[in-house]
Amino acid sequence: IMVSIDHVAHRILAYIPYVLVLIDMRYEGVTCGRDGSVDNHMEMGKKLLAAGQLADALSHFHAAVDGDPKNYMAYYGRATVYLAMGKSKSALPDLSKVIELKPDFTSARLQRGNLLLKQGRLDEAESDFKSVVSTQLVLQFVRVIAFLLQTCIWDVTSREMRAECFVQLGEMGKAISDLKAASKLKNDNTPAFYKLSTIYYNLGDHEMSLNEVRECLKLDPDHKQCYSHYKQVKKLNKQIQSAEELIQEQRYAVSKYEAVMKTEPNVHHFTLLAKERICHALAQSQQASRAISVCSEVLQSNPENVNVLKDRAEAYIQEEQYEEAIKDYETAAKHSENDRQIKEGLERAQRLLKQSQKKDYYKILGVKRTAQKKEIIKAYRKLAQQWHPDNFQDPEEKKKAEKKFIDIAQAKEVLTDPEMRTKFDQGEDPMDPESQQGHHHHHFHGGFHGFNGFNPFGSGPFNFKFNFN
């Protein structure tokens, strides 16, 4: 006799609650009723259910409910018999009564959730599945369904039930796998596509979410849930793409990702993504202080985010906090060993730290690292006039001024020479023989009158002439 697999699958599924009710009755007991006859009816109902004599079992559970209307196990037993008979509409009120009497009865919630799912009442079903607090019970349920699927590999309901369990367990990858199968096994399965889209969305994958919700609308252009979700995902997707295009063009518009957070403030993954890219944009646009603050927020949630560690390290370098930059690069290196950018950044931060413990030509002239040549020359002129040794008569003060004046002259020479400035920015000191490893450059030795031929006031595009009375 040929029997459809779908029919067999549903018959087998009917036995899941039957198995669960036997387990639950065994452990829960039947001590709820005061009348001894209620206990007798419960015992007979349980035995007849186990023997497959469903009509007789139903009579005893009817009697148990009548004898003790607050005995949740009586309602549960009767609901299980209804399910075994294929009368799910009759089972639903009894399961609801069980949950009303005992809200933490997880098996009843799972079974009611399954019935609601079959009826297409997705939100109510989801509420029941989310209410299940016993991970172990959900795992048992998953094992039962897995066993069924070994025989009925194309049963849609089983896969949808297991997907809900996987969502409850936080195993989204497995839930997606079951829902994708369900979407192919059943024609016009809009609920599966909608569920897939929402899962991808909550995982922060806006592109896959958009793909799945479009599949739903292909089947039913007027699907309310899918259309509403589609508008949200499409808007978010467009904002993120627009922001990324600007970053690729090295135009760091922070406001674009701030708009993303306004569009979707409730999904943690999108908030983190937006903050990660804002962190990058701020670091690249030399807004170091803000960059450090935003990057640090991301790293509180995800301490191993290599991109954010690199961006914060760069911001620390801009703020001349070299030791902090080194720590970030070292942490990033642990999670991305072969990243050349990390290696180069770490070496640069180490050189800059060493350099900061010696001379900092930017600090000597009192200019920022981003200063243009014109600003550097202006600062040099002002300081050269202030610290010219001829301004000082006291021998000690004159000696101090000579040293200061030499430093100012060196700083001007290094920072107005593009090649020397680049080397200094990479952590080398063009004026330090040890740093140059044998390369020949201008070096200053001796006092004010011993510049080895270098005239601090004669080099460059200008000359100074002082007259002192």
Side-chain angles (χ1 to χ4, degrees):
I1 299 170
M2 295 296 291
V3 182
S4 75
I5 291 296
D6 190 58
H7 176 68
V8 172
H10 284 290
R11 286 295 302 274
I12 295 172
L13 282 171
Y15 283 96
I16 295 174
Y18 158 71
V19 172
L20 288 173
V21 80
L22 291 180
I23 295 170
D24 287 319
M25 285 182 170
R26 179 181 173 187
Y27 290 107
E28 291 285 345
V30 288
T31 56
C32 303
R34 294 177 182 176
D35 188 344
S37 64
V38 171
D39 290 350
N40 293 333
H41 285 304
M42 289 294 295
E43 283 298 324
M44 285 302 298
K46 186 166 64 170
K47 286 177 182 178
L48 291 165
L49 175 60
Q53 297 178 38
L54 302 181
D56 293 334
L58 187 62
S59 296
H60 282 286
F61 284 124
H62 277 318
V65 168
D66 292 339
D68 184 3
K70 292 189 177 180
N71 187 332
Y72 67 90
M73 288 304 295
Y75 289 101
Y76 189 53
R78 188 169 70 178
T80 305
V81 176
Y82 280 136
L83 288 170
M85 292 174 134
K87 298 180 178 180
S88 57
K89 287 184 179 178
S90 298
L92 195 56
D94 275 352
L95 289 172
S96 295
K97 187 65 178 178
V98 173
I99 293 165
E100 178 191 325
L101 293 168
K102 190 170 174 59
D104 62 346
F105 200 164
T106 52
S107 294
R109 282 198 181 274
L110 273 175
Q111 288 171 56
R112 188 175 71 173
N114 177 35
L115 294 181
L116 292 167
L117 186 66
K118 287 178 180 178
Q119 292 179 12
R121 294 157 67 178
L122 300 181
D123 291 340
E124 294 172 79
E126 186 175 13
S127 176
D128 269 343
F129 284 123
K130 284 183 176 179
S131 298
V132 177
V133 294
S134 172
T135 302
Q136 287 303 315
L137 186 58
V138 179
L139 286 169
Q140 285 178 12
F141 205 63
V142 168
R143 291 188 193 105
V144 172
I145 298 172
F147 175 75
L148 294 174
L149 286 170
Q150 288 176 4
T151 305
C152 312
I153 58 173
W154 48 76
D155 183 71
V156 176
T157 305
S158 297
R159 290 193 179 276
E160 289 176 338
M161 286 166 56
R162 189 167 68 174
E164 288 293 340
C165 290
F166 282 139
V167 169
Q168 180 71 20
L169 295 168
E171 297 188 30
M172 299 305 178
K174 292 179 180 178
I176 288 169
S177 179
D178 271 343
L179 286 168
K180 279 188 177 292
S183 70
K184 292 173 183 175
L185 290 167
K186 180 181 176 182
N187 292 332
D188 298 343
N189 195 343
T190 51
F193 285 116
Y194 174 71
K195 190 69 179 177
L196 278 167
S197 182
T198 56
I199 289 174
Y200 278 124
Y201 188 81
N202 288 319
L203 289 174
D205 193 334
H206 52 95
E207 291 178 344
M208 285 300 295
S209 180
L210 191 59
N211 290 343
E212 297 298 341
V213 78
R214 279 174 173 158
E215 291 299 319
C216 176
L217 291 173
K218 282 180 188 176
L219 296 171
D220 181 3
D222 298 321
H223 195 289
K224 287 184 179 180
Q225 283 180 310
C226 286
Y227 185 67
S228 175
H229 187 59
Y230 168 73
K231 287 194 295 182
Q232 172 75 358
V233 183
K234 187 180 178 184
K235 180 181 178 182
L236 190 73
N237 189 62
K238 188 175 180 181
Q239 286 178 323
I240 292 172
Q241 285 184 341
S242 172
E244 285 302 308
E245 284 169 9
L246 288 174
I247 287 177
Q248 292 301 317
E249 295 168 10
Q250 297 187 339
R251 293 162 62 196
Y252 303 106
V254 170
S255 60
K256 290 287 184 180
Y257 267 111
E258 287 176 339
V260 169
M261 286 196 288
K262 286 181 182 177
T263 299
E264 184 44 83
N266 301 318
V267 177
H268 184 60
H269 291 284
F270 288 121
T271 302
L272 272 186
L273 168 67
K275 287 183 178 179
E276 176 181 338
R277 303 309 277 157
I278 290 170
C279 153
H280 178 70
L282 291 169
Q284 292 299 313
S285 55
Q286 305 286 316
Q287 298 181 60
S289 179
R290 284 183 67 197
I292 290 167
S293 176
V294 176
C295 294
S296 297
E297 284 181 35
V298 179
L299 291 169
Q300 282 180 354
S301 297
N302 185 7
E304 297 178 5
N305 189 317
V306 172
N307 290 328
V308 176
L309 284 165
K310 288 194 288 188
D311 285 327
R312 190 172 71 171
E314 177 58 33
Y316 276 136
I317 286 174
Q318 293 168 22
E319 289 284 280
E320 299 178 12
Q321 298 181 42
Y322 304 122
E323 290 179 352
E324 295 302 321
I326 289 168
K327 286 179 187 175
D328 275 354
Y329 275 128
E330 286 176 342
T331 303
K334 291 177 185 176
H335 304 295
S336 184
E337 294 178 5
N338 300 317
D339 191 319
R340 186 178 173 186
Q341 193 179 13
I342 293 172
K343 185 181 178 184
E344 291 176 353
L346 178 58
E347 290 173 354
R348 177 171 165 242
Q350 288 168 336
R351 285 196 304 270
L352 288 167
L353 175 62
K354 188 176 179 182
Q355 186 184 89
S356 72
Q357 294 164 347
K358 296 180 180 179
K359 288 182 181 177
D360 185 334
Y361 296 122
Y362 291 103
K363 282 186 178 178
I364 288 169
L365 292 184
V367 295
K368 294 181 179 179
R369 283 187 167 267
T370 54
Q372 301 296 311
K373 186 174 182 178
K374 188 176 179 181
E375 297 174 65
I376 291 166
I377 292 170
K378 183 180 178 182
Y380 165 70
R381 285 176 172 168
K382 182 179 178 181
L383 290 168
Q385 284 182 318
Q386 180 183 342
W387 290 99
H388 195 290
D390 288 353
N391 292 341
F392 301 89
Q393 303 302 318
D394 181 81
E396 286 300 318
E397 288 185 2
K398 184 182 284 287
K399 189 175 179 180
K400 180 182 174 183
E402 284 181 9
K403 186 178 183 308
K404 187 84 172 175
F405 188 77
I406 291 168
D407 288 344
I408 293 164
Q410 284 182 331
K412 175 260 174 185
E413 185 182 16
V414 170
L415 299 184
T416 55
D417 182 303
E419 183 183 347
M420 293 172 77
R421 183 174 179 178
T422 298
K423 287 186 176 181
F424 183 73
D425 286 343
Q426 292 299 321
E428 296 179 23
D429 186 349
M431 293 295 177
D432 182 355
E434 292 180 11
S435 175
Q436 293 308 300
Q437 300 177 345
H439 295 292
H440 178 71
H441 292 276
H442 288 295
H443 304 303
F444 294 83
H445 301 288
F448 173 60
H449 299 291
F451 280 95
N452 288 345
F454 172 75
N455 178 3
F457 292 104
S459 63
F462 56 89
N463 290 283
F464 278 97
K465 185 174 182 181
F466 294 102
N467 293 309
F468 298 101
N469 294 327

